[in-house]
Amino acid sequence: MESYTTPTRPRVYKQMSQEGYDHATVEERWQEAWDDAAVYHVPDEASDPTYVLGMYPYPSGKLHMGHVRNYTITDAYARYRRMRGDDVLHPMGWDAFGLPAENAAKERDTNPRDWTFDCIDTMRGQMKSMGFGYDWDREVTTCTPEYYRWNQWLFRRFHEAGLVERRDAEVNWCPSCETVLADEQVEGDAELCWRCDTPVETRELDQWFLKITEYADDLLEAIDELEGWPNSVRQMQRNWIGRQYGTTLDFHVDGHGPVEAFTTRVDTIHGATFFAVAPDHPISEELAEEDDDVRRFIEEEADPDGDEPNGVATGLSATNPATGEEIPVFVADFVLSDVGTGALMAVPGHDERDHAFAEKMGVEIRPVVAPEPDGWDGETVPEAPDVSEAAFTDDGVLINSGEYSGLDSETARERLTEAIDSAAESTQYQLRDWGISRQRYWGTPIPMVHCDDCGAVPVPDEDLPVELPEFINTTGNPLDAADEWQETTCPECGGAATRETDTMDTFVDSSWYFLRYVSPDLEDAPFDLDRANDWMPVDQYVGGIEHAVMHLLYSRFFTKVLADEEGLEHREPFTNLLAQGMVQLEGEKMSKSKGNVVSPQRIVDEYGADTARLFMMQAAQPERDFDWSEEGVKSTHRFLTRLNDLVEAYAAGDVATAGDGDAEAADRDEIDDYVADETDAAVAIAGAEYDDLTFNVALREAQDLVGTLRSYREHADPHPDVFERGVDVAVRLLAPVAPHLAEELWETLGRDGFVAEAEWPTASVDRDTVERRRRLVANTREDVRDIVEVAGIDDPERIDVVVAPDWKYDALEIAIDSDADNLISELMGESHIREQGDAAASYGQDLQANREALRETLDGDAEYDALRAAAWLIEREFDAPVRVERAADADESVVSKAEPGRPAIDIVE
RNA sequence: GCGGGGGUGGCUGAGCCUGGCCAAAAGCGGCGGACUUAAGAUCCGCUCCUGUAGAGGUUCGAGGGUUCGAAUCCCUUCCCCCGCACCA
């Protein structure tokens, strides 16, 4: 670990009042101290550090609450792991390419680079003021040539591996901006450009693709192993990949030869009563040239986005390869060219959409599958279902299918696929290859040159990076206007050639940035392979659900390719993924357009970063949405102020302790035990909850402990050791979330070093014991209240609490362990129980009656100790002395009511 | 339509996986009390119904089932949210 010296700046003056503490000074001071001591730096020699990562932000200019929440989660976890003794890798960087910078540059007459770096500077400053403990030595900025050259290098490796393809594609094109838009940048049903509201057109363009579909099976199947991921994200990725098993087969269409169709239900082929092709299917386009109806339909009527299935008869017929039957061919808009083969056999009896179309066009609807009858013998051909009103879409038993009648659907599919000549098993995916071409300036230039003789040729590694030219403020793609930049020579033939002007989708940058953090300055490779093998995968990744598919799928894809091509020993990048919830205001997502944005900057200025962080972490579990509440922030701030005041008062000697602060001389009372127990309890629970990232529960324990300490101080002269440990523990439990104040108070307590590097406290109890003890105390207090209220006791004079005799604990334990039929006789086998006579028999009967419900309790000694320790709570509440007694010391008539887990209570009026 | 996640007391929301210590955490709101000249803050309680000694009754969307025992497990059903979708 790094060495450091404790800062020795002058002590900060802190107000001892409800006004709060001087958060600005405290926070600044420790941010500098951490910085000076490089507390968050991970040396390259570290062995397998815990890798905690938040999705790096787009540098839009300012942090918003979503960022603050995201990065507080990772920071808190990183700090917790560090206190647990781990080396922690917790880096930050910038997703710094992207269109907004280009637009901003145009508006402000500057260039994207300057604008982006300004934003980064601002946001980095805000992150530092939040106290996020990043290893800034590993900062990564994707828009620098030092980073994006590796995008180009990786593109080349993908190219060599046959995973890059250039082909024609239909893209969203905004004629006003003169650029391609991603699907998500096209808004609303009217399909308007997100930026200028111009209706988007489609264009055919040569585009570069990464062949992610080659990895479809791997990406899909490995999802099952991603046990640290939320089910929702796993399911979304499965849907996105959308693998389907089915059959391809040919239908002969007059004059057009065989036309391939894909179906998952070849078992229904005897019910195929028409054939349909997409409006942009080659056959449709051929037909349109000679058939006016078809042309009019394609050009005017076809509406693939409408709810109604529309179509036009072609007058052609197709031959059903199973039956030889001639069936009509339609051009229909519900057939999509990018699904399956763009042509389908339609079975109206067993497909709802086909059914609707058949009804509309008056095509025959023929049932060929019947529901499997109850207790079906596997042979009998059942009655046909009524499919006139609605399709029967389940698997079942074939009917009206010639020799196949009587087979179940699954068997029929296998046999038919085998029997039909042109049929073959086929797997279809919804996943498409990833089009990475963008006609924009502010991205990674795709490292290809176009040579008239050699075609598209990759730029050799030694010529990388292909750097962006100066930004030119123009409409369309500034790279198209950069004539000089485009001019180059062909790496293969040396002739004149031009550079590719497309840049890469910024998702390329983010598909491997988590690897760059491992060796951010490496100059001969994107990442140090050995170190990546040691440090990867990311142990805990945190980010918004909006990246469930895109970024998280692309990153998985890259990781797998790097494993196959570059020797990376990991096939998945992120072991545990947390999709954090939204920060809302009055149930609505914060957004600029709604004008309901709460500025993190304002909160930090007004209350401090610790307040903002603590409020967010205790408000809800990290994966849930929660409402921002100014009231909640204030209450959190008051809590921190109380904590500060308490520690200050203690350090200043204003807490009157027993023995005048001399632990040796101080008597240790029951209340001291209570506080010591509660301190342990808080440690036991908070640790486990931090492990689970349920910060809200962990923090509740820490906050409750502070409350307990305050009561302790009010109610007694605290034992110096107990009080000090309580305060010390509270500070450490809060340190991951409220690091600045914790650091300040750590110093106030006279501790050496940083609390950020302090050891996590350990507990001498387990959670079960804590819960039993708390339950016992809470139940007993409630019972006393009940009695006082129900019996109408106004002013109790004394309250006796008597723990059950030892033999009852023994009897209970025997009863729990025993599986004898007659529990009483088993109990009576124990002489010390038998000696109790009627009492033993009576308790034995109780146990027998509730045998299945018996639960372990604390033992008699532990119950006695716990109740004695908690007696002050009852005394305080009822203003009467409380006597906690062992059974042997109490009156028999009272003792008889005591049971394990339930002491006898006697209230003297 | 398919897939995922939900429906808990005045509200928010935990518990459900691993059934019993669950009339059900915590917070908010409301009520009472302490402190204060007062307010705020803080602290102590109460907050389903009945009850003169810790009890009983009725509750966890609805209906049914399993079990000695169900908020928790199973089936059916209704409703809400999210993702995908004329996906062949």
Side-chain angles (χ1 to χ4, degrees):
Chain A
M1 290 297 293
E2 300 294 294
S3 63
Y4 55 80
T5 47
T6 305
T8 51
R9 265 159 252 244
R11 302 256 335 180
V12 175
Y13 169 75
K14 276 158 285 184
Q15 290 173 287
M16 301 285 287
S17 76
Q18 295 162 15
E19 299 303 309
Y21 60 100
D22 184 358
H23 58 258
T25 310
V26 168
E27 292 180 355
E28 206 176 312
R29 176 181 180 215
W30 290 102
Q31 284 156 17
E32 283 176 24
W34 292 326
D35 224 15
D36 292 347
V39 171
Y40 307 111
H41 177 68
V42 200
D44 287 344
E45 307 77 61
S47 165
D48 193 17
T50 298
Y51 192 169
V52 182
L53 187 64
M55 291 181 186
Y56 70 170
Y58 178 77
S60 55
K62 282 189 258 187
L63 286 187
H64 60 244
M65 280 299 173
H67 290 131
V68 174
R69 189 176 191 196
N70 191 159
Y71 303 141
T72 302
I73 292 167
T74 50
D75 192 52
Y77 188 64
R79 288 173 180 277
Y80 168 69
R81 293 306 330 170
R82 188 174 294 106
M83 290 177 77
R84 281 288 197 186
D86 296 3
D87 282 338
V88 173
L89 171 60
H90 186 221
M92 182 43 72
W94 310 100
D95 186 15
F97 271 138
L99 194 55
E102 216 166 317
N103 296 333
K106 284 183 185 176
E107 278 166 31
R108 281 154 238 230
D109 200 26
T110 168
N111 67 77
R113 188 187 154 82
D114 291 345
W115 187 81
T116 300
F117 278 100
D118 278 353
C119 287
I120 289 175
D121 285 343
T122 310
M123 288 174 78
R124 191 192 299 107
Q126 288 184 313
M127 286 181 177
K128 288 187 174 177
S129 77
M130 286 304 302
F132 296 142
Y134 297 122
D135 182 352
W136 287 109
D137 293 346
R138 296 182 182 277
E139 181 177 1
V140 153
T141 305
T142 59
C143 66
T144 60
E146 294 72 34
Y147 186 87
Y148 70 69
R149 68 174 296 185
W150 300 113
N151 283 341
Q152 296 171 339
W153 186 91
L154 288 163
F155 181 89
R156 287 220 47 189
R157 299 290 85 75
F158 276 59
H159 192 268
E160 285 163 6
L163 293 168
V164 171
E165 195 172 65
R166 182 170 167 83
R167 61 168 180 260
D168 252 11
E170 258 190 21
V171 292
N172 303 306
W173 180 265
C174 173
S176 161
C177 306
E178 294 186 32
T179 186
V180 162
L181 299 177
D183 284 345
E184 56 269 29
Q185 290 161 346
V186 179
E187 291 183 339
D189 291 338
E191 306 202 321
L192 304 178
C193 170
W194 65 318
R195 197 152 21 119
C196 63
D197 284 343
T198 309
V200 166
E201 299 171 356
T202 55
R203 268 201 186 187
E204 294 258 326
L205 285 176
D206 268 348
Q207 299 272 287
W208 291 99
F209 286 86
L210 297 185
K211 289 160 83 176
I212 190 172
T213 53
E214 301 269 310
Y215 278 78
D217 286 320
D218 198 352
L219 287 166
L220 179 70
E221 282 155 21
I223 292 171
D224 293 343
E225 313 297 318
L226 293 175
E227 283 167 14
W229 285 38
N231 282 332
S232 57
V233 174
R234 294 161 82 186
Q235 195 56 41
M236 281 163 78
Q237 293 210 350
R238 287 192 191 103
N239 289 343
W240 189 261
I241 295 167
R243 182 168 72 184
Q244 269 188 315
Y245 295 114
T247 303
T248 51
L249 71 180
D250 291 342
F251 278 66
H252 277 267
V253 176
D254 328 321
H256 295 271
V259 178
E260 190 180 56
F262 173 78
T263 178
T264 55
R265 292 298 304 274
V266 72
D267 55 312
T268 63
I269 194 167
H270 291 80
T273 51
F274 66 98
F275 192 77
V277 294
D280 50 348
H281 191 279
I283 290 190
S284 307
E285 286 170 1
E286 281 173 39
L287 283 170
E289 285 174 19
E290 55 217 44
D291 184 329
D292 287 346
D293 288 346
V294 171
R295 186 172 43 76
R296 192 171 345 99
F297 173 76
I298 293 171
E299 287 172 5
E300 292 165 28
E301 210 181 326
D303 175 17
D305 297 322
D307 293 334
E308 269 286 280
N310 302 306
V312 61
T314 61
L316 299 175
S317 64
T319 311
N320 183 326
T323 63
E325 194 178 0
E326 296 291 314
I327 56 176
V329 176
F330 291 87
V331 174
D333 62 2
F334 68 86
V335 185
L336 307 175
S337 58
D338 61 348
V339 174
T341 61
L344 57 85
M345 68 171 211
V347 185
H350 302 284
D351 181 281
E352 282 170 22
R353 187 203 47 228
D354 296 349
H355 192 278
F357 189 79
E359 275 195 321
K360 184 171 172 178
M361 308 302 281
V363 181
E364 184 194 351
I365 299 168
R366 185 193 305 163
V368 293
V369 177
E372 185 178 309
D374 288 339
W376 184 51
D377 58 11
E379 286 174 35
T380 313
V381 178
E383 290 289 303
D386 179 8
V387 292
S388 59
E389 292 299 317
F392 170 69
T393 57
D394 293 344
D395 274 8
V397 179
L398 270 67
I399 57 173
N400 300 331
S401 297
E403 57 180 301
Y404 298 95
S405 294
L407 292 177
D408 64 272
S409 288
E410 203 177 323
T411 310
R413 284 196 283 270
E414 286 168 20
R415 299 248 185 113
L416 280 154
T417 303
E418 231 168 87
I420 299 168
D421 281 345
S422 64
E425 280 183 11
S426 168
T427 307
Q428 297 279 323
Y429 300 89
Q430 215 160 294
L431 182 69
R432 300 280 155 238
D433 279 334
W434 174 14
I436 60 160
S437 284
R438 294 295 119 97
Q439 287 67 42
R440 295 170 189 152
Y441 170 79
W442 197 228
T444 304
I446 292 177
M448 298 294 289
V449 300
H450 297 281
C451 168
D452 286 342
D453 295 329
C454 310
V457 179
V459 176
D461 284 353
E462 58 270 22
D463 293 343
L464 298 182
V466 176
E467 287 201 45
L468 285 168
E470 282 302 302
F471 179 67
I472 303 166
N473 194 342
T474 173
T475 49
N477 184 354
L479 292 185
D480 284 334
D483 296 331
E484 260 179 61
W485 178 82
Q486 281 186 50
E487 274 176 36
T488 185
T489 51
C490 172
E492 277 185 16
C493 69
T498 54
R499 291 194 184 282
E500 170 64 62
T501 57
D502 283 354
T503 53
M504 295 184 198
D505 183 359
T506 57
F507 278 117
V508 172
D509 314 2
S510 56
S511 294
W512 66 281
Y513 78 109
F514 43 87
L515 284 158
R516 186 68 184 168
Y517 287 133
V518 160
S519 48
D521 302 318
L522 194 64
E523 288 180 7
D524 53 10
F527 55 90
D528 182 294
L529 184 60
D530 287 340
R531 204 178 303 150
N533 284 338
D534 187 37
W535 289 14
M536 285 289 288
V538 174
D539 293 286
Q540 182 64 58
Y541 198 35
V542 180
I545 188 76
E546 66 273 18
H547 293 113
V549 174
M550 311 285 258
H551 162 58
L552 290 169
L553 192 65
Y554 297 147
S555 298
R556 295 182 61 222
F557 167 49
F558 262 57
T559 303
K560 287 177 192 303
V561 174
L562 290 170
D564 288 340
E565 307 296 333
E566 297 297 323
L568 184 65
E569 288 169 6
H570 304 283
R571 298 195 69 79
E572 287 291 340
F574 314 121
T575 305
N576 293 295
L577 173 70
L578 174 77
Q580 110 244 16
M582 276 190 298
V583 183
Q584 302 178 321
L585 198 63
E586 285 160 359
E588 290 200 61
K589 184 180 179 168
M590 287 187 190
S591 75
K592 269 187 230 156
S593 57
K594 285 191 198 123
N596 62 345
V597 174
V598 178
S599 148
Q601 191 65 55
R602 195 205 98 215
I603 303 299
V604 171
D605 291 346
E606 212 164 313
Y607 304 100
D610 285 339
T611 295
R613 297 168 54 125
L614 180 57
F615 167 66
M616 281 194 159
M617 291 302 97
Q618 52 109 71
Q621 287 178 28
E623 51 274 287
R624 303 188 90 95
D625 296 344
F626 80 95
D627 253 23
W628 183 266
S629 137
E630 198 69 22
E631 220 20 74
V633 177
K634 286 187 177 143
S635 140
T636 301
H637 187 247
R638 286 194 299 265
F639 166 77
L640 287 176
T641 303
R642 291 198 295 277
L643 171 66
N644 181 66
D645 290 350
L646 183 71
V647 178
E648 289 278 310
Y650 174 70
D654 292 342
V655 174
T657 46
D660 284 329
D662 178 357
E664 300 292 317
D667 289 334
R668 180 134 168 164
D669 293 330
E670 289 83 358
I671 185 169
D672 303 319
D673 292 338
Y674 179 85
V675 174
D677 285 351
E678 280 300 301
T679 304
D680 266 334
V683 172
I685 293 173
E689 299 294 343
Y690 268 111
D691 278 327
D692 287 351
L693 303 167
T694 39
F695 305 109
N696 56 327
V697 181
L699 294 169
R700 186 162 69 224
E701 284 300 323
Q703 292 184 294
D704 285 352
L705 176 60
V706 173
T708 301
L709 292 167
R710 281 165 55 85
S711 299
Y712 184 33
R713 178 195 174 182
E714 285 294 307
H715 195 77
D717 286 346
H719 189 283
D721 286 352
V722 172
F723 195 83
E724 173 135 352
R725 168 157 157 84
V727 173
D728 173 292
V729 162
V731 168
R732 281 188 284 170
L733 296 187
L734 287 162
V737 176
H740 309 90
L741 183 61
E743 208 67 82
E744 183 78 9
L745 297 178
W746 192 245
E747 185 191 60
T748 303
L749 287 170
R751 301 293 188 268
D752 289 333
F754 290 106
V755 74
E757 295 180 321
E759 266 181 47
W760 192 253
T762 52
S764 54
V765 281
D766 58 71
R767 262 184 104 144
D768 265 2
T769 307
V770 169
E771 271 152 31
R772 284 179 194 159
R773 197 169 64 203
R774 286 184 174 172
R775 175 58 56 185
L776 173 72
V777 170
N779 284 349
T780 305
R781 293 176 70 189
E782 270 167 40
D783 285 345
V784 174
R785 275 175 219 135
D786 275 354
I787 294 168
V788 167
E789 193 191 317
V790 174
I793 300 168
D794 289 332
D795 187 17
E797 191 172 308
R798 196 185 75 230
I799 300 169
D800 290 345
V801 176
V802 184
V803 175
D806 287 338
W807 67 266
K808 283 195 179 174
Y809 292 92
D810 295 341
L812 175 65
E813 199 172 318
I814 291 166
I816 289 170
D817 293 341
S818 162
D819 46 13
D821 288 340
N822 188 339
L823 180 59
I824 310 274
S825 60
E826 180 152 348
L827 290 175
M828 291 307 178
E830 297 288 323
S831 60
H832 75 290
I833 294 175
R834 187 170 59 241
E835 278 165 13
Q836 304 301 323
D838 288 351
S842 155
Y843 185 54
Q845 274 161 14
D846 286 352
L847 291 175
Q848 176 83 38
N850 299 300
R851 251 180 112 171
E852 323 269 352
L854 299 177
R855 288 296 204 95
E856 263 186 71
T857 63
L858 298 173
D859 63 35
D861 290 340
E863 291 207 339
Y864 175 71
D865 290 342
L867 288 167
R868 273 171 53 95
W872 69 280
L873 290 166
I874 303 175
E875 287 181 346
R876 182 181 65 177
E877 185 175 340
F878 297 94
D879 198 22
V882 172
R883 223 163 56 178
V884 179
E885 297 179 295
R886 305 305 304 254
D889 305 325
D891 191 88
E892 180 54 35
S893 64
V894 178
V895 173
S896 64
K897 282 189 276 185
E899 288 175 15
R902 190 168 184 271
I905 296 165
D906 188 47
I907 300 177
V908 183
E909 278 192 79

